[in-house]
């Protein structure tokens, strides 16, 4: 795969991931809280439920999804780099919170959640690395 293809694939993966979080959190916040991810119900292990907070987070993820889709369509470094750095920062903070709050999770769920959240930290580093390497 070429660098532009890897960058586009990374951005598309991030768009899909953020849409899969953003849509249910925005439009069905209580269901998101009770059941997400829909095979494990991890969110409800971190109470209490707050409709406003969950739907706001969903909106933020949908905003990221829109920009990731735009960047995948037109992957200009001036857009991709700040987008990926901003998302990396938000996901690194999110990841650190979750690895410190694993009580109540089974070993399997704690491991799966840590891997899933770790991927959201790692994937934006791919375009950053490829673009900085190309331009640096």
């Amino acid at each position: 795969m070429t660098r532009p293809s890897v960058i586009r694939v990374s951005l598309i993966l991030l768009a899909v991931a953020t849409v899969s979080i953003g849509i249910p959190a925005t439009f069905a916040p209580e269901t998101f809280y009770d059941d997400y991810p829909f095979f494990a119900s991890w969110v409800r292990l971190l109470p209490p439920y707050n409709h406003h907070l969950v739907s706001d987070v969903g909106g933020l993820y949908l905003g990221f999804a829109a920009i990731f889709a735009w960047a995948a369509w037109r992957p200009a470094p001036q857009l991709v780099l700040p987008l990926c750095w901003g998302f990396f920062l938000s996901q690194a903070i999110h990841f650190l919170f979750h690895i410190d709050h694993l009580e109540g999770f089974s070993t399997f769920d704690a491991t799966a959640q840590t891997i899933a959240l770790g991927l959201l930290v790692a994937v934006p580093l791919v375009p950053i690395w490829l673009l900085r390497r190309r331009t640096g």
Side-chain angles (χ1 to χ4, degrees):
M1 276 182 103
T2 64
R3 279 187 201 164
S5 296
V6 172
I7 290 168
R8 274 200 167 97
V9 167
S10 298
L11 295 169
I12 291 167
L13 288 172
L14 290 166
V16 169
T18 52
V19 162
S20 75
I21 295 166
I23 287 176
T26 300
F27 300 108
E30 193 166 351
T31 300
F32 177 87
Y33 178 82
D34 288 337
D35 299 330
Y36 194 87
F38 299 111
F39 61 87
S41 304
W42 296 334
V43 178
R44 74 173 167 198
L45 295 174
L46 298 165
Y49 169 72
N50 182 307
H51 180 100
H52 176 223
L53 178 61
V54 174
S55 62
D56 280 359
V57 168
L60 292 170
Y61 273 90
L62 287 177
F64 269 116
I67 301 169
F68 280 125
W70 183 335
W73 182 50
R74 300 257 172 129
Q78 298 85 351
L79 172 60
V80 173
L81 287 171
L83 170 60
C84 287
W85 275 116
F87 191 72
F88 166 78
L89 177 61
S90 72
Q91 295 309 298
I93 292 166
H94 186 215
F95 178 81
L96 292 173
F97 173 86
H98 279 278
I99 62 170
D100 193 39
H101 293 86
L102 293 172
E103 51 280 337
F105 284 75
S106 70
T107 301
F108 175 82
D109 285 336
T111 302
Q113 178 189 252
T114 301
I115 291 168
L117 294 175
L119 287 171
L120 289 176
V121 173
V123 173
L125 293 174
V126 173
I128 290 168
W129 182 76
L130 290 173
L131 288 171
R132 292 185 67 78
R133 194 168 155 228
R134 188 184 83 190
T135 60

